[in-house]
Amino acid sequence: MRQILLHSVFLFLILSHSTSTFAQQQSVYGYVYDEATGEALIGASILNTTTKQGSISDERGYFYIQMSSAIAIEYQFSYLGYNTFVQKIGATAEPLAIYLSSKSQQLTEFVFNSNVVRQGKMSIPITQLKNLPSLGGEADILKSFQLLPGIKGADEGSSSLLVRGGSADQNLFLMDNIPLYHVNHLGGFLSVFDVDAINNVEVYKGAYPAQYGGRLSSIMNIGLKNGNKKETKKALQLGLISSKFFMEGPLKDTKTTYLFSGRICNIGILMEAVNLINDDKQGYYFFDFTGKVSHQINDKNTLFISLYTGIDNVYMRQHNEKERKELKSSGSNTHKWGNFMTNMRWHRQYTPQLLSNTTLAYTHFFNNSSSNSKSKIQGDKFSSSTRYASMIDDVIAKQDFSYFLKDNWKLQFGADLNLHTFSPSSTAHRYTSSDAPKFDTVVSMRTHALHSDFYFGSEQHLNSLFSTHAGIRLSTWLSVGSNFIVPEPRLGISYQPTKKIKLSLDYSRMTQFVHLLSNQGNTLPNDLWIPTTKKLHPERSNQYSLGLKYVLPSNMSINIEAYHKRMNNLIEYEESTFSFRGANWQDGISSGGKGGSKGIEFLFSKETGLFNGWIAYTLSKSTRQFDNINSGLEYPHKFDNRHDLSIVANTRVSKSITFSATWVCKSGNNISMPIEKYYVYKPTIFEGIYNPNPEDKNYYKNPHLKAYNYENKNGYKTPPYHRLDIAMNYDRKKSSWNFAIYNLYNRQNAYFYYTDDEGDNWKQFSLFPFIPSFSYTRRF
């Protein structure tokens, strides 16, 4: 009863905004574009210079401003890094097209912005992100966002994101609003997102709008470019790890544009060259492809088609042949994983106030491995093969609406339907012999689920002091044996007493119906996505946050945000579980876990000028508790890094040369370390010959197994992690060079720990030392 009352209050707060008339008023509306490319500028500011009120362009560059009369009024259009455009505009019957030109690169005006769009939402402009130091010479979106407060990486060199005490699978990655389930190459070393193909990136770590859901910790929305409307542009980049080709431009006329981006792994090419002189072959490669076509049917209708595919593949092939030809054997092992996504979206403008997006999409993730062996011994032939596969398919239909009641009041509502197909584990084994019948074993599991969401949200500037955003999201999950209906309310209030000070208070509830089981060691990706079932209930979180923004002179600002998050129905491996393969994939999983996370985030930024950058610091605590793990006692999360500090500095020394540096420092991870060692007797085939005697000096050697006693889970804190990276960018009209050094002072950070042969001494393994890298880009 209490929950129903609470949800009713939230719904009343939203619908109470709808008391004014929906009648169409005099208005100014249209789109803001980049003059050079025709791409939409997202988050551009439109200001009435008389009343000092205005609007912000949305993800399509669209803005709407209501007018009290048809008299022309002066408006100012501005966007960070672009020249401000001022013009008197009257009420319009057709949408305006406003083009802003980028500022010329002056020695005293270098723009670099870690933009806090609103509390809980952050972005880094793509053009500025490319200047940051990178491992391998290629800019990486996910690693760049690790430099912001409340967001950190999992392990050394990893592109995985951990947001406000959450796990890696609690982040939803959207490409053109469609989910991707695996976003890394090289086991997390490099993300799948090509910055040249991306228009904008936004990360929500709190204050979630009603249209987003499905994960507990964050939403990362990555919008692809629509394609250059003005001219065809091509670029070829050669890097240390990968190389890529990018092309965009108009098709016949400006109504149809395209974008193409392809990337391959240089490491794989080198390994193939080595394989030419070796009998045993081994290798690794990845590739990805991103494409998009946009077609403007008329002034009010536009069609978009997006496509992404990417694959990683690790393989080994062995061949053995004895001199007397009595024994021949060969074998191969392959591990392959990847994504495929395609998306068709129809954008329609019914009236200047009402717009919609209709979307049909398909996304697929697979994780397959196989092993094959053949042998011939004195004429007898033997062969065996094993196949393992795991995958998840989504067929998605979405309908989204935006309605502008006024320039300071926007409603968003819609629904989506997602048909999931899960195959958590599928195993096939075959054995053949020349003197025995063929033997086959096939174990396969497949399950379906229907996930739907209905949402309604409102964003309104009540007056010069207060603004609100409120929403309600109703999520339903239907599958065999598990049916859930979960309301997810959201509410935020902002108070701005002066132009320099802004206070915000937010609450969000999130639900996650899909769960990720992944290997715990530093091995190849073994991700297995599993659905909510009768045993595994949906994960849930409730988050509260309080924020303060203070604007300083010279384009500087301070942002402080405190948060508290509680999570329920978490899942984890049981402590004795080593593998999740097999038909009974739910066995060995601990469910019903609880998690807590709280912290304070600080961000000081200087956005423009000869020297700029930011300082981000997070003080946080994150815990977990399961009834059958750690004797039911609460324990620290592995990535509970109490202190996390990032410093980013940038400077321009000429129109062509920029320098950047990043320094990160954080508390160590929490791992389980043994407090004592003992031996367990292991019976062998020699048991009848060797009679164990504890007084025998060889008793504590073979055939005994070493075992360890762990007092508390994650009870050991590894040494602090810190690293300095630097980069130089030399940019000309037709070409550019990027030089970077990762881990400049060669800090030996712990990657994992292992024991010596006796098992008495624990040693640290460090992964990445001092690493120089470069990339060269040619534009034509």
Side-chain angles (χ1 to χ4, degrees):
M1 183 65 185
R2 179 184 175 185
Q3 285 191 345
I4 295 175
L5 180 61
L6 178 63
H7 301 150
S8 299
V9 171
F10 271 93
L11 187 59
F12 174 77
L13 288 173
I14 298 167
L15 296 178
S16 64
H17 292 320
S18 304
T19 55
S20 48
T21 178
F22 281 70
Q24 185 170 332
Q25 304 289 329
Q26 299 280 358
S27 60
V28 173
Y29 63 97
Y31 298 85
V32 184
Y33 299 109
D34 183 315
E35 184 180 57
T37 65
E39 286 286 347
L41 293 180
I42 301 168
S45 175
I46 302 92
L47 180 69
N48 183 322
T49 59
T50 302
T51 64
K52 303 300 180 184
Q53 294 181 342
S55 181
I56 300 294
S57 63
D58 64 10
E59 66 272 12
R60 300 170 298 274
Y62 185 81
F63 67 91
Y64 175 87
I65 299 176
Q66 195 174 88
M67 302 179 65
S68 57
S69 67
I71 299 174
I73 299 174
E74 185 178 79
Y75 287 94
Q76 175 181 291
F77 298 83
S78 60
Y79 190 76
L80 190 64
Y82 285 72
N83 293 308
T84 299
F85 175 74
V86 179
Q87 182 174 322
K88 282 190 174 184
I89 303 174
T92 56
E94 298 296 331
L96 298 173
I98 305 297
Y99 292 91
L100 301 184
S101 59
S102 60
K103 292 182 179 178
S104 59
Q105 296 178 343
Q106 300 295 330
L107 183 61
T108 58
E109 184 66 18
F110 176 48
V111 179
F112 202 99
N113 176 31
S114 62
N115 190 14
V116 180
V117 181
R118 71 181 187 192
Q119 296 296 341
K121 176 184 177 183
M122 309 191 78
S123 70
I124 302 176
I126 296 299
T127 55
Q128 302 158 9
L129 180 149
K130 294 180 180 180
N131 292 302
L132 289 174
S134 58
L135 179 56
E138 182 177 348
D140 191 288
I141 290 175
L142 301 189
K143 289 180 181 175
S144 299
F145 274 89
Q146 293 174 6
L147 300 171
L148 297 177
I151 306 175
K152 65 186 72 173
D155 292 304
E156 172 85 30
S158 173
S159 292
S160 298
L161 297 185
L162 304 171
V163 180
R164 290 186 170 178
S167 304
D169 68 308
Q170 293 176 354
N171 308 303
L172 178 62
F173 297 97
L174 300 172
M175 178 179 284
D176 269 2
N177 284 304
I178 303 302
L180 290 179
Y181 283 94
H182 191 81
V183 294
N184 295 307
H185 290 305
L186 282 163
F189 187 79
L190 183 69
S191 74
V192 302
F193 305 112
D194 179 7
V195 295
D196 289 326
I198 295 171
N199 183 14
N200 69 294
V201 185
E202 295 176 336
V203 173
Y204 291 90
K205 54 184 181 177
Y208 303 101
Q211 65 265 34
Y212 293 122
R215 298 295 187 274
L216 299 191
S217 293
S218 78
I219 308 292
M220 175 174 278
N221 191 11
I222 298 168
L224 296 177
K225 293 179 178 178
N226 294 329
N228 195 312
K229 294 183 178 180
K230 304 291 184 176
E231 59 181 332
T232 298
K233 287 192 173 183
K234 305 174 185 177
L236 175 65
Q237 183 181 89
L238 304 176
L240 187 64
I241 296 175
S242 63
S243 298
K244 63 182 181 181
F245 178 75
F246 172 80
M247 183 168 61
E248 64 173 341
L251 286 172
K252 295 184 179 179
D253 55 40
T254 59
K255 289 189 175 182
T256 305
T257 59
Y258 71 92
L259 174 147
F260 166 88
S261 173
R263 179 168 54 175
I264 60 172
C265 177
N266 296 338
I267 298 174
I269 298 175
L270 294 175
M271 296 182 77
E272 285 295 333
V274 174
N275 287 337
L276 294 176
I277 58 176
N278 291 335
D279 291 332
D280 295 339
K281 316 293 184 183
Q282 58 182 336
Y284 168 79
Y285 70 82
F286 73 77
F287 74 86
D288 53 33
F289 165 82
T290 305
K292 187 172 183 178
V293 175
S294 306
H295 176 66
Q296 185 175 355
I297 302 171
N298 52 44
D299 290 341
K300 295 185 177 181
N301 293 274
T302 307
L303 186 66
F304 305 92
I305 300 176
S306 306
L307 174 70
Y308 170 82
T309 184
I311 293 177
D312 290 66
N313 189 10
V314 180
Y315 64 88
M316 292 181 291
R317 294 190 292 269
Q318 298 175 326
H319 179 76
N320 182 31
E321 184 174 339
K322 296 294 184 180
E323 293 182 359
R324 291 180 296 178
K325 310 295 183 180
E326 296 177 354
L327 173 64
K328 293 182 179 180
S329 65
S330 61
S332 65
N333 291 278
T334 302
H335 189 179
K336 185 183 295 185
W337 65 96
N339 291 283
F340 175 82
M341 183 277 290
T342 184
N343 169 25
M344 182 172 67
R345 177 169 59 93
W346 171 33
H347 171 64
R348 182 177 182 183
Q349 177 183 318
Y350 295 93
T351 70
Q353 294 169 275
L354 180 62
L355 301 90
S356 75
N357 280 289
T358 304
T359 304
L360 295 175
Y362 170 76
T363 184
H364 168 75
F365 167 72
F366 69 91
N367 185 5
N368 302 335
S369 63
S370 64
S371 62
N372 298 276
S373 65
K374 293 181 180 181
S375 60
K376 181 179 180 181
I377 304 176
Q378 296 180 345
D380 293 330
K381 296 181 180 180
F382 306 88
S383 67
S384 67
S385 63
T386 300
R387 301 281 188 275
Y388 168 77
S390 176
M391 68 88 178
I392 177 173
D393 282 332
D394 289 354
V395 178
I396 302 169
K398 300 177 63 177
Q399 182 65 63
D400 303 285
F401 292 93
S402 297
Y403 192 90
F404 295 85
L405 285 173
K406 298 179 181 179
D407 51 306
N408 60 351
W409 191 352
K410 180 180 179 181
L411 301 179
Q412 291 184 292
F413 51 95
D416 62 77
L417 191 66
N418 191 334
L419 176 61
H420 297 281
T421 301
F422 295 88
S423 180
S425 180
S426 177
T427 305
H429 179 72
R430 169 173 291 184
Y431 176 80
T432 60
S433 173
S434 56
D435 58 354
K438 181 174 67 174
F439 175 76
D440 284 290
T441 301
V442 177
V443 179
S444 180
M445 288 200 63
R446 177 165 292 195
T447 184
H448 300 278
L450 187 63
H451 180 196
S452 61
D453 298 292
F454 305 89
Y455 71 89
F456 185 94
S458 168
E459 296 182 14
Q460 184 182 15
H461 294 275
L462 300 175
N463 50 47
S464 60
L465 296 178
F466 290 95
S467 61
T468 67
H469 63 89
I472 186 72
R473 183 180 179 89
L474 188 67
S475 296
T476 65
W477 178 271
L478 302 175
S479 65
V480 178
S482 62
N483 303 317
F484 296 91
I485 301 177
V486 184
E488 302 176 26
R490 291 95 188 266
L491 178 65
I493 301 174
S494 297
Y495 172 62
Q496 190 168 0
T498 71
K499 292 183 179 180
K500 295 184 177 181
I501 299 176
K502 186 176 183 179
L503 296 169
S504 301
L505 177 64
D506 294 284
Y507 166 76
S508 299
R509 173 177 291 180
M510 301 290 278
T511 305
Q512 183 166 334
F513 291 100
V514 295
H515 319 282
L516 176 67
L517 289 177
S518 186
N519 54 281
Q520 301 296 294
N522 301 303
T523 59
L524 292 174
N526 230 347
D527 293 350
L528 182 151
W529 287 95
I530 59 177
T532 286
T533 65
K534 186 176 182 180
K535 178 182 178 180
L536 305 177
H537 287 195
E539 300 177 59
R540 301 181 184 181
S541 71
N542 289 277
Q543 181 174 249
Y544 304 85
S545 59
L546 176 65
L548 166 67
K549 180 176 182 179
Y550 184 73
V551 179
L552 299 168
S554 303
N555 290 314
M556 295 186 292
S557 64
I558 296 176
N559 285 271
I560 303 173
E561 189 166 2
Y563 68 90
H564 185 270
K565 181 167 64 175
R566 297 298 303 174
M567 296 173 283
N568 296 292
N569 297 332
L570 302 181
I571 67 170
E572 182 62 273
Y573 281 110
E574 292 185 358
E575 293 180 322
S576 60
T577 301
F578 296 96
S579 173
F580 52 69
R581 295 186 179 186
N584 298 321
W585 51 269
Q586 295 190 72
D587 295 343
I589 299 174
S590 293
S591 59
K594 298 178 181 179
S597 179
K598 56 186 177 181
I600 303 177
E601 302 166 352
F602 300 86
L603 178 64
F604 168 79
S605 61
K606 184 176 184 298
E607 297 178 352
T608 60
L610 177 63
F611 182 84
N612 56 76
W614 70 81
I615 300 174
Y617 171 72
T618 304
L619 174 66
S620 62
K621 180 181 180 181
S622 180
T623 60
R624 297 289 188 270
Q625 188 273 321
F626 289 82
D627 291 340
N628 55 345
I629 295 179
N630 198 44
S631 302
L633 300 176
E634 185 179 77
Y635 58 90
H637 188 222
K638 177 182 179 180
F639 302 106
D640 175 30
N641 309 114
R642 192 61 47 88
H643 305 278
D644 188 3
L645 173 67
S646 299
I647 300 176
V648 178
N650 312 275
T651 187
R652 182 181 295 281
V653 298
S654 72
K655 292 180 64 175
S656 301
I657 300 176
T658 60
F659 286 96
S660 299
T662 60
W663 186 69
V664 296
C665 180
K666 62 181 179 180
S667 305
N669 293 336
N670 300 294
I671 62 174
S672 300
M673 294 288 281
I675 59 174
E676 62 179 356
K677 178 183 69 175
Y678 59 95
Y679 292 87
V680 177
Y681 174 65
K682 176 186 177 183
T684 69
I685 59 174
F686 303 105
E687 186 170 356
I689 302 174
Y690 172 64
N691 185 23
N693 182 358
E695 297 180 358
D696 188 341
K697 65 179 182 180
N698 293 321
Y699 179 81
Y700 292 101
K701 296 183 180 180
N702 287 334
H704 295 78
L705 290 176
K706 295 188 234 10
Y708 298 95
N709 180 28
Y710 296 83
E711 183 177 21
N712 294 312
K713 184 175 179 64
N714 293 345
Y716 177 77
K717 175 76 73 173
T718 62
Y721 178 98
H722 54 89
R723 187 190 79 243
L724 174 65
D725 305 332
I726 61 172
M728 184 195 79
N729 291 278
Y730 180 64
D731 196 2
R732 303 297 297 271
K733 185 176 181 180
K734 292 293 185 180
S735 63
S736 61
W737 285 90
N738 173 275
F739 301 94
I741 298 177
Y742 182 90
N743 198 2
L744 180 65
Y745 51 79
N746 198 34
R747 163 71 175 178
Q748 300 299 301
N749 292 299
Y751 190 59
F752 64 82
Y753 288 85
Y754 64 98
T755 63
D756 57 17
D757 294 336
E758 298 297 325
D760 296 321
N761 299 312
W762 289 85
K763 298 182 178 181
Q764 170 186 306
F765 178 82
S766 299
L767 185 62
F768 294 121
F770 170 96
I771 301 179
S773 61
F774 72 92
S775 66
Y776 170 74
T777 302
R778 176 67 178 176
R779 293 180 287 272
F780 49 92

